Amino acid sequence: MNDLSQSVIFGRGPENTAYAQFFVGQSYLNMISLEQVVIGNVTFEPGCRNNWHIHRAKSGGGQILLVTGGRGWYQEEGKPARELHAGDVVHIPAGVKHWHGAAKDSWFVHLAVEVPGEGTGNEWLEPVSDEEYDKLP
Ligand code: MN
């Protein structure tokens, strides 16, 4: 399903300039909630993905992805990539190195729920190489 208009539920929002340095390709970020629990709607153009990263926390923390459209990927270091479609839910524990993003031929949209915790912060690492990414269907 490559039609982005079918995926827009919360609104695409502006270009994700704040985190562009940690992404390959163009993404868009619409902050849905800045109270109680922080939730962002992230839209990835085809081929766009974020760098390997770790959601750090002293306690609690981590991230939940709620997929609303398109086709994409989630991968934890040392594990096969998991293909994602609308309705999929990904629970990402704090401390786990991973990336998420679009398939090469599809837009991809997910809500990113920042799980509250103590001492939370993101550690951004190296990009997912074209060699790794291009192996994915
Ligand atoms: Mn993440």
Side-chain angles (χ1 to χ4, degrees):
M1 198 281 288
N2 297 333
D3 181 358
L4 177 64
S5 66
Q6 299 287 319
S7 306
V8 175
I9 295 173
F10 290 97
R12 190 177 69 172
E15 289 188 359
N16 184 9
T17 53
Y19 295 92
Q21 61 186 311
F22 307 122
F23 281 64
V24 172
Q26 185 64 57
S27 66
Y28 299 83
L29 177 62
N30 182 15
M31 294 310 299
I32 301 300
S33 169
L34 293 171
E35 299 173 37
Q36 297 179 302
V37 175
V38 173
I39 304 171
N41 187 60
V42 187
T43 301
F44 303 77
E45 69 174 10
C48 176
R49 66 272 190 182
N50 52 32
N51 289 6
W52 291 99
H53 61 282
I54 300 170
H55 302 291
R56 295 287 186 191
K58 289 199 174 88
S59 66
Q63 189 177 52
I64 302 170
L65 307 180
L66 305 173
V67 180
T68 60
R71 186 173 78 92
W73 298 101
Y74 168 73
Q75 186 173 26
E76 296 182 358
E77 187 178 43
K79 296 185 180 178
R82 174 182 167 192
E83 186 171 333
L84 298 174
H85 301 93
D88 287 338
V89 178
V90 181
H91 293 91
I92 308 170
V96 171
K97 182 177 175 180
H98 68 280
W99 66 272
H100 28 113
K104 63 182 78 171
D105 64 349
S106 177
W107 288 81
F108 179 59
V109 188
H110 68 52
L111 293 169
V113 179
E114 309 303 329
V115 180
E118 288 183 27
T120 58
N122 289 349
E123 181 182 357
W124 290 98
L125 302 165
E126 71 279 10
V128 180
S129 70
D130 287 341
E131 185 183 12
E132 293 171 276
Y133 182 81
D134 289 345
K135 288 177 187 166
L136 299 172

